[in-house]
Amino acid sequence: MSRKQPFQSRISSRFNDIDAMGHVNNAVIFTYFEEGRKALFYDAFRESVPGGFNFMVAHLECDYILPVRLEDRLLLNLWVTTVGTKSFGLAYALMDEADVNRIFAKGSSVQVCYDYRQRRSVPVPPTLKKALLAYHLPD
């Protein structure tokens, strides 16, 4: 089952996110993506403790389009792009909540399912795969 819309999460920028140039520092955008992943997994599993996330980020990228200022109200859209044997992909679009055509950044990430006790990658568990497919948006 696929959703017709991306998962959405409101993001609040903090005063300490702002750098000397007066906009959100580029590295903080990755934190916003992380907050979106956390919200998506809470929505899918009602999971909020670190042990509930049996994956690690293997790749993360971002295209910065517009600077984010403290007064901007942010909305993060995210969706599943792929589900493989041991990994899954997510896409992100950080936008202005009042004008979704005003996009600040776009990005993507690859997460690898991981057994932290055995210290090795593992197949995507069936329950995770089913949940991820509910957030998949076809291209």
Side-chain angles (χ1 to χ4, degrees):
M1 171 177 84
S2 233
R3 298 163 62 103
K4 296 192 188 287
Q5 299 292 323
F7 176 80
Q8 295 187 324
S9 180
R10 285 191 174 87
I11 302 292
S12 296
S13 53
R14 303 160 300 193
F15 182 76
N16 67 336
D17 294 346
I18 306 302
D19 64 17
M21 303 307 292
H23 56 74
V24 170
N25 184 274
N26 63 306
V28 175
I29 302 299
F30 289 113
T31 301
Y32 294 169
F33 290 174
E34 179 181 46
E35 287 297 308
R37 280 194 307 276
K38 180 181 76 176
L40 181 137
F41 274 82
Y42 184 78
D43 188 66
F45 295 107
R46 297 295 181 234
E47 190 64 69
S48 61
V49 296
F53 300 95
N54 62 342
F55 62 85
M56 63 172 49
V57 175
H59 177 80
L60 184 61
E61 64 184 27
C62 179
D63 292 322
Y64 304 97
I65 300 166
L66 293 171
V68 177
R69 307 231 179 253
L70 187 60
E71 65 272 10
D72 291 320
R73 297 297 160 244
L74 304 174
L75 184 65
L76 180 68
N77 280 357
L78 63 150
W79 60 97
V80 174
T81 56
T82 60
V83 179
T85 304
K86 292 186 174 186
S87 65
F88 58 94
L90 297 173
Y92 310 84
L94 184 65
M95 58 195 70
D96 187 322
E97 188 174 18
D99 178 5
V100 295
N101 293 314
R102 188 168 172 239
I103 299 173
F104 298 107
K106 290 182 178 182
S108 64
S109 62
V110 175
Q111 292 68 216
V112 174
C113 289
Y114 195 77
D115 183 321
Y116 284 90
R117 279 189 251 164
Q118 296 182 24
R119 296 183 181 180
R120 64 177 181 85
S121 62
V122 296
V124 176
T127 54
L128 177 57
K129 186 173 189 169
K130 181 178 179 183
L132 289 170
L133 290 174
Y135 295 93
H136 181 259
L137 284 178
D139 291 334

